[in-house]
Amino acid sequence: MNRPRIAVLDASHNERDTKRNFRRELDAELVEFDVTSGELPETFDLDGAVVTGSRSSVYWDEPWIGSLKEWIAEAVDHGLPFLGVCYGHQLLADVLGGTVKGMGSYEIGYNEIRRTGESPLFEGIDERFLAFTTHSDAVTALPPDAEALAENEYSNHGFRKDRVFGVQFHPEYDLETAESLTRRKPITEERRRRVLEGITEENYDAACQAKLVFENFVEYVNDLRPESAAADAESAAAD
């Protein structure tokens, strides 16, 4: 079976690290769209979609954000599976009826996150796990009927509603991305120093377990594909 065709809705304002990281982590045929410049898929003939992080906020009044929300709402109605990361997590929650607000501060650095629910997205990930986080907005109310999957003392860090998943943390980050982003964040120099001290090979290695969300999402998408269902039917008939 061919690899699934997944749209990467890149909201990063053309950040080089974003493209590199998602290309590395997603084992799929990727179709990339710079949504900040108004690029969106022309059809829903896709197996799934991923929404990246962004320096924007979901509640900003910008034309590309409104257009992206409209496309996502239609795609969800068509049954397209979604994974949102950080800004993508917040945007999907917003589109589905949740609430996103500014935190008044940053969560940044390698931080512990706790699983609060069972989900195929977190298969193989410990109940408490490490991941790099960086955000000043948070999902303060989940969409109606959504299930909380992960959290820490700052905010919700994962949810699911039907075929839509979101994670607030950044499983795609490598050490280079974590360091370069930390150096340009508007935080105090003392806090910047502490965060940079925590960007180590040891913490990165521990946080690599969180990358399983990408493998799990691709597997989830594959299981929903018509080819997969047909193969399962043939196998059952042969038995």
Side-chain angles (χ1 to χ4, degrees), residues 14-227:
N14 212 28
E15 284 275 354
R16 178 185 64 86
D17 286 348
T18 298
K19 297 180 187 301
R20 172 173 54 80
N21 289 334
F22 280 92
R23 287 170 183 171
R24 182 186 64 242
E25 300 299 339
L26 287 166
D27 185 15
E29 178 190 345
L30 303 183
V31 190
E32 299 176 355
F33 298 89
D34 178 8
V35 296
T36 61
S37 66
E39 292 181 6
L40 289 167
E42 294 181 356
T43 74
F44 304 110
D45 185 22
L46 298 157
D47 295 309
V50 173
V51 189
T52 75
S54 179
R55 63 174 181 263
S56 299
S57 292
V58 302
Y59 44 78
W60 288 0
D61 184 18
E62 295 189 359
W64 70 268
I65 296 176
S67 298
L68 177 57
K69 288 181 180 181
E70 290 177 7
W71 188 89
I72 288 173
E74 290 187 51
V76 169
D77 286 344
H78 277 77
L80 197 67
F82 272 88
L83 173 63
V85 176
C86 195
Y87 173 85
H89 160 86
Q90 298 162 14
L91 190 72
L92 292 173
D94 178 275
V95 168
L96 295 174
T99 303
V100 177
K101 293 182 179 180
M103 298 163 58
S105 62
Y106 272 98
E107 177 184 7
I108 184 169
Y110 282 106
N111 288 310
E112 184 179 82
I113 298 166
R114 300 177 298 278
R115 292 178 54 179
T116 60
E118 294 300 319
S119 168
L121 190 70
F122 284 87
E123 187 69 31
I125 297 176
D126 293 340
E127 183 177 348
R128 292 177 179 267
F129 62 95
L130 196 70
F132 196 86
T133 64
T134 171
H135 64 115
S136 57
D137 290 335
V139 175
T140 56
L142 291 177
D145 301 320
E147 178 187 5
L149 300 178
E151 67 180 12
N152 66 7
E153 66 273 21
Y154 286 95
S155 69
N156 172 270
H157 267 274
F159 79 89
R160 176 186 185 177
K161 182 173 181 179
D162 300 324
R163 295 181 173 185
V164 176
F165 303 86
V167 295
Q168 180 61 65
F169 55 94
H170 280 279
E172 80 281 11
Y173 272 20
D174 54 18
L175 287 171
E176 178 186 346
T177 306
E179 181 178 346
S180 64
L181 179 138
T182 299
R183 291 192 181 282
R184 62 179 187 265
K185 281 294 182 182
I187 55 178
T188 66
E189 289 307 314
E190 172 59 23
R191 190 175 186 198
R192 193 186 321 278
R193 181 188 62 78
R194 293 198 307 269
V195 174
L196 288 171
E197 286 177 351
I199 300 175
T200 63
E201 289 282 357
E202 181 180 5
N203 281 337
Y204 172 75
D205 289 344
C208 279
Q209 186 186 76
K211 294 178 182 293
L212 283 171
V213 299
F214 294 118
E215 180 180 324
N216 291 338
F217 179 70
V218 171
E219 183 175 347
Y220 175 80
V221 168
N222 255 329
D223 288 344
L224 293 175
R225 296 171 72 193
E227 302 96 309

